[in-house]
Amino acid sequence: MDTGHTTFLFNTLEKYTTIPASEKMKLEKMIQVRNLTKNSFFVRQGEPQSDVAFIEKGMFRVFCLDLSGNEKTMAFRTAGQFLFTYSCSIEKKEVWYSIQALTDSSLLFIPSSDYEKLITQHLCWDLLIKNYMIQLYIEKEDRERSFLLDDAAERYRQFIEKHPDIEQLIPQYYIASYLGISPVSLSRIRSRQK
């Protein structure tokens, strides 16, 4: 594995916990590179659990289809974040959402079977998962709070503050879906805020 690939990965992992050199070597032997083109899928709704991946380059959206067939955007993921169907993996269920590349992307991944072996071998992996899950929980709680307490204009303002360059990369209707509003409403909000 090219160290150029793993440097960014290990620098990111070290934000969550210290990983011994021996564990890094084990992980390096498992890592594979996967390039995805814009609009291709990491995993589709209804498929079995997926591999564990680290986004080296690119942007993804996590979304599901409601009973009427409308897409509901749940999250966006960018370089330095992970793609993993965590709850589906734990419960051994089909994935209930899709993860789609919004740009040409590069992933570092390990098959879920290798991941399951790796995490049983050293405490650092449990700590990494725990600390990353805490971050995801805070993100989820912040989003729920915003949906309950903020109007759509404030949700949009907060979203753009967190993702300042996103509007140049993805269609507006993905952002509207994430904010829980129609594209027309988003257009009005954008006009007022300019």
Side-chain angles (χ1 to χ4, degrees), residues 156-170:
Y156 173 71
R157 189 197 65 72
Q158 291 173 10
F159 178 76
I160 294 304
E161 191 175 281
K162 287 181 186 173
H163 308 282
D165 301 322
I166 200 168
E167 290 187 293
Q168 288 76 44
L169 296 174
I170 64 172

Side-chain angles (χ1 to χ4, degrees), residues 8 53-58 60 77-83 106-107:
F8 181 37
F54 174 79
I55 306 171
E56 184 179 39
K57 180 186 83 168
F60 291 79
R77 295 283 173 252
T78 59
Q81 294 183 299
F82 296 91
L83 300 177
S106 177
L107 300 174

Side-chain angles (χ1 to χ4, degrees), residues 129-142:
I129 293 164
K130 175 188 168 192
N131 292 332
Y132 188 70
M133 288 298 140
I134 289 170
Q135 179 184 313
L136 290 180
Y137 180 79
I138 291 168
E139 177 186 317
K140 182 180 184 299
E141 192 174 77
D142 284 347

